[in-house]
Amino acid sequence: MKVLVLAPLVRIAMRLYLQSLLDDAKAAGAEVTVIAPSHVDVETDYPIVRIGGGGKLSTAWAQVNPLTFLRITWTMLRGRFDMLHVINGENRPLVVWAMLWARLLGMRGVVTIHDPLPHPCAKLEVATYKIGLLSRRLASELNIHDKAHVDIVADGSGRPIHVFPLPNLPKSFGRAETLRKAQEVLFFGRMEPYKGIDNFVELGLRMRGEARFTLAGKGKVPDTLLKTMAEHPDIFTVEHRHVTDEEMIAMMDRAKVALLPYHSATQSGVPPVAAARGTLPVGFAVGGLVNQLPALGGIAVPPGDLDALEAAVRVGLAMDETALQRLTEHPDPFKTAIARLYARPAFGVAPIAPVVIA
């Protein structure tokens, strides 16, 4: 199977996602070419067609630059690919362009949807949501990361919708044979209001003296909450900045609990990372977290119930390293899913009936 992977938005966790996809595609014997911004630093033998990148402005310009559209067209015309696979960023015009060419060239067009609905506070996502809907309509198949989103993306067309697992994002990082955990609760990721930063702070104040609460990541943290955390250095550690992959892994290796106190969510890359590093993922049962957290051995509690969230965090803090080690033993179904998605039909290009991968 010759696959063109279009990855217009690849930063932080999505870089690890792309790395996992390429590793597992190689194991499946697929021939892959990647189109991605110039700042993407995955380790692969596969060719990467660069479309510009770096900072936010240069990346945004690359996504509307006419040269980008020409580069995509030339790559697709020369490559004789069987499949175009878009991961994240389907709400960009260059994805619509690529999907149109996939149709013209008779390629399978697969869109992996990270956020079936835009987060209310993500203004660009809200503004470009209809572009994403057009990309989905042009696709021949869709991937979603949780069965809870099937009804959201189904449009009555009968196109295959694959429930596609998230990968074990940090599997390429080495791990000590013995876990060495601290009484620490980690709140990690891109900081946005919908992620419940207020809940994180309130829970830390409630549990003063029982654990250290660490906030790590760039983004929008209200000044009032930053001030509150600064006034309580005995409770909070604040790393309000870009956190490297290596730093994130070290934090996960140290913390007993990964906290997801989100007001809303689709799904998250944090729980699989946490479970793979022996950290109990705990959060509110919103969006795909309803299924995702318990599937990884974590705990999902009723949305907005801080008492239940506190009780779940206490469960994690009471676990010893032996119990937390069991979280790391969950299988990684992503490899199998990639192998199935990238399988070459026995005779030519065969129609694919709606299926669920997972």
Side-chain angles (χ1 to χ4, degrees):
M1 174 73 75
K2 293 191 67 175
V3 182
L4 178 62
V5 173
L6 176 56
L9 301 176
V10 185
R11 291 187 186 276
I12 316 175
M14 284 308 300
R15 187 190 72 79
L16 294 176
Y17 186 111
L18 178 59
Q19 183 70 67
S20 294
L21 184 149
L22 296 176
D23 291 345
D24 293 339
K26 191 174 186 66
E31 298 178 48
V32 176
T33 297
V34 182
I35 298 179
S38 57
H39 60 260
V40 177
D41 57 346
V42 291
E43 296 180 6
T44 183
D45 296 331
Y46 290 131
I48 300 179
V49 178
R50 303 292 184 175
I51 57 173
K56 287 186 177 180
L57 288 178
S58 56
T59 301
W61 164 242
Q63 292 173 358
V64 296
N65 186 343
L67 292 177
T68 298
F69 290 72
L70 290 175
R71 189 165 291 136
I72 289 172
T73 304
W74 182 240
T75 301
M76 295 180 74
L77 288 172
R78 289 185 63 193
R80 296 181 175 273
F81 299 102
D82 302 300
M83 175 193 294
L84 169 66
H85 184 189
V86 177
I87 60 166
N88 204 14
E90 75 272 10
N91 59 342
R92 298 300 193 265
L94 62 87
V95 174
V96 175
W97 177 258
M99 278 292 158
L100 284 168
W101 273 104
R103 280 204 163 195
L104 286 171
L105 297 173
M107 296 164 53
R108 289 170 64 188
V110 182
V111 171
T112 294
I113 303 168
H114 186 69
D115 292 320
L117 292 173
H119 297 296
C121 58
K123 294 180 180 179
L124 182 61
E125 287 186 30
V126 172
T128 58
Y129 178 61
K130 289 187 177 180
I131 297 176
L133 291 179
L134 181 55
S135 296
R136 297 181 201 179
R137 188 169 293 277
L138 290 170
S140 58
E141 304 164 49
L142 301 175
N143 287 341
I144 56 176
H145 291 308
D146 195 275
K147 62 184 179 182
H149 305 137
V150 171
D151 290 342
I152 297 174
V153 302
D155 58 5
S157 65
R159 80 191 70 217
I161 299 175
H162 309 299
V163 180
F164 208 75
L166 286 164
N168 171 2
L169 296 177
K171 64 184 175 184
S172 59
F173 290 84
R175 184 170 57 205
E177 292 184 8
T178 304
L179 298 179
R180 300 183 185 278
K181 293 291 186 178
Q183 294 298 102
E184 185 169 341
V185 177
L186 177 63
F187 180 57
F188 169 78
R190 177 72 186 176
M191 296 297 149
E192 300 286 355
Y194 75 86
K195 291 189 175 180
I197 306 169
D198 53 333
N199 292 329
F200 167 78
V201 173
E202 183 172 345
L203 195 61
L205 295 173
R206 282 189 180 202
M207 299 183 66
R208 182 177 201 149
E210 298 182 55
R212 175 152 291 279
F213 281 70
T214 300
L215 178 148
K218 285 183 69 174
K220 305 168 187 174
V221 180
D223 291 339
T224 53
L225 296 179
L226 285 173
K227 181 173 182 292
T228 298
M229 288 186 284
E231 290 172 347
H232 298 279
D234 57 320
I235 303 174
F236 299 103
T237 296
V238 179
E239 302 287 352
H240 187 209
R241 58 179 176 81
H242 170 69
V243 176
T244 66
D245 294 340
E246 291 76 13
E247 288 177 307
M248 177 266 291
I249 293 299
M251 291 175 181
M252 285 291 184
D253 285 349
R254 188 176 64 238
K256 280 192 170 182
V257 175
L259 190 64
L260 297 92
Y262 298 171
H263 295 296
S264 65
T266 48
Q267 67 284 314
S268 172
V270 172
V273 174
R277 309 307 290 195
T279 303
L280 185 73
V282 170
F284 289 136
V286 293
L289 298 182
V290 173
N291 303 309
Q292 190 182 13
L293 289 174
L296 291 164
I299 303 174
V301 303
D305 189 339
L306 277 173
D307 292 336
L309 190 65
E310 180 180 349
V313 169
R314 291 183 190 280
V315 169
L317 293 173
M319 294 173 72
D320 59 20
E321 278 80 1
T322 301
L324 291 170
Q325 179 71 40
R326 296 191 191 101
L327 295 172
T328 69
E329 298 168 2
H330 284 272
D332 179 12
F334 187 78
K335 185 173 184 176
T336 301
I338 287 292
R340 292 181 62 187
L341 184 68
Y342 289 1
R344 182 187 294 275
F347 301 100
V349 178
I352 299 175
V355 297
V356 173
I357 296 177

